[in-house]
Amino acid sequence: MDDGWKLADKVAAVGYLVMVPDFFYGEPLDREKPDIQTWLKDHGTDKGCEDAKAVVESMKNKGVSAIGAAGFCWGGMTVSKLAKYESTIGAAVILHPGPITVDEINEVKVPTAILAAEHDHIFPLDQAKLLGDALSAKSEIESFVKIFPGVEHGWTVRYNVEDESATKVTEEAQKDMLNWFTKFIK
């Protein structure tokens, strides 16, 4: 079982309805292929946000009233866009995100947590600090930014379960995510 699915199961086990839509439509990013830019063009986060809004609307039509969104890497970029619409979700958690800009974070309108890696070539530490400062300046919403020492991009879903320290820091991030959702949407 993929570690992302294990995390979805953990979230469901504490009482949440969990949706894990495939916004890549069966075409995940293959870092072995040389043309990543074409993939990104065909799988833009704006489209991901629109697709996510449709999923949220469907959930609301079925009576789900409190909705949070978590995203990892590309999904984190999509969640940051979704968080601009306060009528869509009640809270956002962005884990080891892709390259999110300060302008994008300035548009966030729901409580937002960013859980970042100390060593991340995609979302460097200085960017995490910039976004943390931007969120802190938004007194109208609560925010939380945490840098996890000693980990790399992807650590919350791709880690060696036999490595005690990797498991511990992953479980800490997962607990932070659940606590954020409990605070704002449960």
Side-chain angles (χ1 to χ4, degrees), residues 5 7 57 64 77 90-91 98 117 142 172 177:
W5 287 105
L7 178 55
E57 191 60 35
V64 178
M77 295 163 49
E142 285 195 53
E172 180 182 344
M177 178 185 73

Side-chain angles (χ1 to χ4, degrees), residues 8-186:
D9 288 344
K10 283 182 183 181
V11 174
V14 295
Y16 291 100
L17 169 65
V18 177
M19 303 287 292
V20 185
D22 176 10
F23 294 141
F24 299 152
Y25 299 98
E27 300 174 353
L29 176 62
D30 182 351
R31 293 199 177 274
E32 301 299 316
K33 293 188 177 177
D35 196 6
I36 292 173
Q37 293 308 314
T38 299
W39 185 92
L40 289 170
K41 184 178 79 60
D42 293 341
H43 300 85
T45 55
D46 288 333
K47 180 176 181 344
C49 180
E50 291 306 311
D51 291 347
K53 285 168 46 179
V55 169
V56 168
E57 191 60 35
S58 174
M59 293 171 70
K60 287 183 175 185
N61 289 338
K62 291 182 179 10
V64 178
S65 59
I67 298 173
F72 308 82
C73 189
W74 180 96
M77 295 163 49
T78 299
V79 166
S80 72
K81 293 178 184 307
L82 191 62
K84 297 188 306 189
Y85 307 99
E86 59 190 320
S87 64
T88 305
I89 60 173
V93 179
I94 302 168
L95 300 98
H96 47 81
I100 299 171
T101 67
V102 170
D103 289 341
E104 290 170 316
I105 285 299
N106 284 336
E107 294 184 41
V108 165
K109 293 185 173 76
V110 301
T112 300
I114 297 175
L115 307 179
E118 178 183 22
H119 308 289
D120 193 330
H121 64 286
I122 295 173
F123 187 74
L125 196 54
D126 60 340
Q127 189 66 9
K129 290 178 180 177
L130 274 174
L131 298 190
D133 291 345
L135 282 170
S136 293
K138 297 173 68 66
S139 60
E140 70 277 14
I141 65 164
E142 285 195 53
S143 63
F144 175 69
V145 176
K146 185 172 181 179
I147 310 299
F148 287 81
V151 296
E152 297 179 2
H153 186 83
W155 96 97
T156 61
V157 290
R158 291 187 315 252
Y159 61 99
N160 180 354
V161 295
E162 294 176 14
D163 180 336
E164 189 176 318
S165 64
T167 300
K168 182 178 177 183
V169 74
T170 297
E171 289 173 350
E172 180 182 344
Q174 293 170 356
K175 183 178 179 185
D176 289 342
M177 178 185 73
L178 288 171
N179 287 341
W180 193 255
F181 286 148
T182 298
K183 183 175 183 178
F184 293 104
I185 63 169
K186 193 161 192 176

